[in-house]
Amino acid sequence: MKVVWTPEAEHDRDDIWFYIAAENLSVAARMDELFSAAAARLASHPDLGHPGKIAGTRELIPHESYRLVYEVHDNTVWLLALVHTARQWPPLRKR
């Protein structure tokens, strides 16, 4: 199965990298490796995560502090968001 990081999820990943790297580059690299490994596991096991808070999505916790939100369509796992577990998820809708 193919795994695709959406631009939004890539942006989340970059933000996390830069935030952590500002304090400790090696920790940022290890965290990013965790994210990559989690995504790679989804290629073989797309049902690995639990049903998500948003209908049609699934969520995998690659680290106790991060939630990887994804959906599966046909032969593709679409990584939608990478969110710190302390943040509101799903995000509140703007009125």
Side-chain angles (χ1 to χ4, degrees):
M1 189 162 287
K2 182 176 165 182
V3 176
V4 177
W5 288 83
T6 63
E8 296 82 4
E10 280 284 353
H11 181 73
D12 294 342
R13 188 175 177 179
D14 289 345
D15 285 350
I16 293 164
W17 168 268
F18 289 115
Y19 180 80
I20 297 172
E23 291 293 322
N24 190 319
L25 192 57
S26 64
V27 171
R30 283 196 309 266
M31 191 65 70
D32 198 62
E33 287 172 11
L34 280 175
F35 301 150
S36 290
R41 284 193 308 275
L42 290 173
S44 300
H45 306 285
D47 293 330
L48 189 60
H50 60 278
K53 293 181 179 182
I54 297 174
T57 67
R58 299 189 67 79
E59 298 178 7
L60 181 64
I61 307 296
H63 180 273
E64 65 187 17
S65 296
Y66 292 96
R67 169 190 339 258
L68 183 58
V69 181
Y70 66 98
E71 61 187 6
V72 180
H73 290 288
D74 299 322
N75 260 352
T76 306
V77 176
W78 293 93
L79 304 177
L80 305 174
L82 184 58
V83 183
H84 195 282
T85 55
R87 290 193 175 212
Q88 169 70 38
W89 186 259
L92 297 175
R93 289 177 41 172
K94 294 180 182 178
R95 294 180 192 242

